[in-house]
Amino acid sequence: MRKFLIAGNWKMNAAPDAAYKLAEEIASGWKDNTFSSEALLCPPYISIPAVAEAFKGTAFKVGAQNVHTENDGAYTGEISTGMLKVAGCEYVIVGHSERREYFHETDELVAQKAKKVIDDGLIPIVCVGEVLSQRKEGIHQDVVQRQVDAVLNHLGKDESDNLVIAYEPVWAIGTGETATPEQAQEIHQFIRELITRHWGSESSEKVRILYGGSMKPDNAEELLSQKDVDGGLIGGASMKAESYNEILKISETI
Ligand code: PEP
């Protein structure tokens, strides 16, 4: 049985009370607490303590959706890795396409965040992926290569165990449109090869590569069955306990 990372991104949804309820509902679907995949939910910052509380005594983990590169100081509105650790986070999503698009995060900044997260003992989930026009132009591999190289240039091969990359074709996020399993595998394999070029094959096998973009119970099995798909980053379907748990259950059968 493969060990997947099944990560949920709640984006700017679920205030602490609603987040606590949803987390409890998800965890209560696993009374015996036994699954071999790693299960992670990333609520908005303010709801992290509530979700951590709801997950106490379970195997579910909590993560954040973003972080700043400094430890503390005059950065109004920002949150540091140290604060996230105290709140119970183990993972941080970095460079989600919504942050790249709406908050102008560059490859360089995303790479700095990934480095900071790893240096401080958390695991970054670095999002990469092309927009529709880039896929239509046939330059999707160039775009993904630029985004992945930027991060790998800041890290060393010893950090491969603690790096997660999420391939999220932007045209598939929140649209209901999903990459075909073949499209996903092609890019996942391409990312694996890029890592091999930087760090060799032993290290590249250790990096987990998630697929994100309208993953749901209907398509999870065929996507997770691809050789280089090591899990999912799930938006909409992670907002309902039933569909998140269904995907987690599917991951247990592969
Ligand atoms: C995401 O936001 O990372 C995502 C994959 O969203 P959705 O599953 O809703 O497409």
Side-chain angles (χ1 to χ4, degrees), residues 188-207:
H188 281 233
Q189 188 179 332
F190 175 67
I191 293 172
R192 189 88 65 201
E193 285 163 6
L194 286 176
I195 305 167
T196 302
R197 270 185 241 164
H198 281 259
W199 295 341
S201 59
E202 203 180 309
S203 297
S204 90
E205 286 302 323
K206 293 182 187 163
V207 176

Side-chain angles (χ1 to χ4, degrees), residues 168-253:
E168 300 209 300
V170 180
W171 47 271
I173 296 179
T175 58
E177 197 172 326
T178 318
T180 63
E182 295 74 26
Q183 284 172 324
Q185 170 57 25
E186 184 202 8
I187 301 294
H188 281 233
Q189 188 179 332
F190 175 67
I191 293 172
R192 189 88 65 201
E193 285 163 6
L194 286 176
I195 305 167
T196 302
R197 270 185 241 164
H198 281 259
W199 295 341
S201 59
E202 203 180 309
S203 297
S204 90
E205 286 302 323
K206 293 182 187 163
V207 176
R208 288 172 289 171
I209 308 173
L210 313 185
Y211 170 79
S214 299
M215 186 183 270
K216 38 190 183 270
D218 286 357
N219 57 28
E221 183 175 3
E222 50 180 14
L223 287 162
L224 294 173
S225 297
Q226 301 305 305
K227 180 179 170 293
D228 289 293
V229 176
D230 302 315
L233 181 54
I234 303 146
S238 72
M239 292 295 308
K240 290 204 172 76
E242 197 185 343
S243 47
Y244 176 83
N245 279 340
E246 189 58 37
I247 295 172
L248 185 54
K249 270 180 202 137
I250 289 166
S251 79
E252 294 292 294
T253 65

Side-chain angles (χ1 to χ4, degrees), residues 117-172:
V117 168
I118 290 192
D119 283 352
D120 291 350
L122 294 160
I123 300 178
I125 299 176
V126 180
C127 300
V128 300
E130 79 284 358
V131 300
L132 186 58
S133 59
Q134 292 165 331
R135 177 158 281 266
K136 282 189 173 156
E137 252 186 89
I139 58 166
H140 45 289
Q141 290 200 347
D142 302 328
V143 172
V144 168
Q145 174 159 7
R146 193 197 71 223
Q147 294 171 332
V148 171
D149 278 345
V151 171
L152 297 182
N153 286 338
H154 276 71
L155 303 176
K157 64 193 278 186
D158 293 348
E159 288 152 330
S160 51
D161 273 327
N162 294 325
L163 174 64
V164 179
I165 294 176
Y167 171 57
E168 300 209 300
V170 180
W171 47 271

Side-chain angles (χ1 to χ4, degrees), residues 25 55 83 189 223:
E25 208 183 330
F55 285 164
M83 295 171 187
Q189 188 179 332
L223 287 162

Side-chain angles (χ1 to χ4, degrees), residues 25-189:
E25 208 183 330
I26 288 174
S28 70
W30 297 87
K31 285 268 181 304
D32 57 0
N33 238 323
T34 50
F35 42 83
S36 56
S37 288
E38 230 181 310
L40 170 74
L41 276 310
C42 302
Y45 285 142
I46 196 169
S47 301
I48 289 171
V51 172
E53 179 62 30
F55 285 164
K56 240 186 213 155
T58 78
F60 285 88
K61 298 181 176 179
V62 64
Q65 301 171 15
N66 184 31
V67 73
H68 195 261
T69 51
E70 297 297 327
N71 290 335
D72 43 46
Y75 302 100
T76 301
E78 295 294 330
I79 300 273
S80 70
T81 50
M83 295 171 187
L84 294 179
K85 281 166 77 171
V86 169
C89 289
E90 294 182 51
Y91 285 83
V92 185
I93 298 171
V94 168
H96 190 280
S97 63
E98 287 150 18
R99 296 221 51 91
R100 291 179 189 259
E101 184 182 352
Y102 306 136
F103 304 97
H104 315 295
E105 292 199 3
T106 60
D107 290 339
E108 177 60 26
L109 178 61
V110 172
Q112 285 171 12
K113 288 187 176 189
K115 171 99 184 104
K116 177 70 177 159
V117 168
I118 290 192
D119 283 352
D120 291 350
L122 294 160
I123 300 178
I125 299 176
V126 180
C127 300
V128 300
E130 79 284 358
V131 300
L132 186 58
S133 59
Q134 292 165 331
R135 177 158 281 266
K136 282 189 173 156
E137 252 186 89
I139 58 166
H140 45 289
Q141 290 200 347
D142 302 328
V143 172
V144 168
Q145 174 159 7
R146 193 197 71 223
Q147 294 171 332
V148 171
D149 278 345
V151 171
L152 297 182
N153 286 338
H154 276 71
L155 303 176
K157 64 193 278 186
D158 293 348
E159 288 152 330
S160 51
D161 273 327
N162 294 325
L163 174 64
V164 179
I165 294 176
Y167 171 57
E168 300 209 300
V170 180
W171 47 271
I173 296 179
T175 58
E177 197 172 326
T178 318
T180 63
E182 295 74 26
Q183 284 172 324
Q185 170 57 25
E186 184 202 8
I187 301 294
H188 281 233
Q189 188 179 332

